[in-house]
Amino acid sequence: MEKHINVVATLQIIYSILGLIIATAIFVLFHVIGNFADDHEAEFVLSIIANVIMIVAFIVSLPGILAGIGLFKRKEWARILTLIISVLNLFSFPIGTGIGVYSIWALVQPENVEAFKN
């Protein structure tokens, strides 16, 4: 069952980094579109939207990265944080749902709960 904890940790980190990569692509795309626009106001609005998307993505992704690192170190707080993130991931169909279901299943197994008691 130790392998499942490592898989969940890896999935959490990869899924969070993927969210950051997508947000960065949107950030760059909005800035490029804003630069092509001849309207200064449109450029300004697109810049604000791009910045907000990047900030929100960072805030949403950071807990997943921290939880994954904590899972590798077998910290109890990371298990609880991952369970919370996994419940929220259930609403992100289909990939988030799969990761959420697997993470919840793996982290509530009695053997894995004991692994975090040390």
Side-chain angles (χ1 to χ4, degrees), residues 7-23 57-58 60-66 68 82 85-101 103:
V7 170
V8 169
T10 303
L11 287 173
Q12 288 296 323
I13 293 171
I14 289 172
Y15 193 61
S16 296
I17 290 173
L18 181 64
L20 286 175
I21 290 170
I22 292 170
F58 181 78
V60 170
S61 296
L62 187 61
I65 294 170
L66 294 175
T82 303
I85 293 169
S86 297
V87 169
L88 296 174
N89 281 346
L90 293 175
F91 298 105
S92 182
F93 185 79
I95 297 172
T97 303
I99 292 173
V101 168
S103 298

Side-chain angles (χ1 to χ4, degrees), residues 1 13 23 37-38 47 49-50 61 68-69 76-77 103 105 107 109 115:
M1 291 305 271
I13 293 171
D38 289 334
S47 175
I49 292 171
S61 296
I69 293 169
E76 177 65 19
W77 61 264
S103 298
W105 172 82
L107 294 177
Q109 298 299 316

Side-chain angles (χ1 to χ4, degrees), residues 3-97:
K3 181 174 88 173
H4 290 292
I5 297 172
N6 291 335
V7 170
V8 169
T10 303
L11 287 173
Q12 288 296 323
I13 293 171
I14 289 172
Y15 193 61
S16 296
I17 290 173
L18 181 64
L20 286 175
I21 290 170
I22 292 170
T24 303
I26 293 170
F27 177 83
V28 170
L29 179 68
F30 276 33
H31 277 288
V32 168
I33 292 171
N35 288 337
F36 280 120
D38 289 334
D39 187 6
H40 179 68
E41 289 179 23
E43 182 180 349
F44 179 71
V45 170
L46 286 173
S47 175
I48 290 174
I49 292 171
N51 291 336
V52 168
I53 288 172
M54 197 63 192
I55 291 168
V56 169
F58 181 78
I59 291 170
V60 170
S61 296
L62 187 61
I65 294 170
L66 294 175
I69 293 169
L71 286 176
F72 279 125
K73 296 180 180 181
R74 302 299 188 260
K75 301 292 184 180
E76 177 65 19
W77 61 264
R79 188 180 77 83
I80 295 168
L81 179 59
T82 303
L83 287 170
I84 293 168
I85 293 169
S86 297
V87 169
L88 296 174
N89 281 346
L90 293 175
F91 298 105
S92 182
F93 185 79
I95 297 172
T97 303

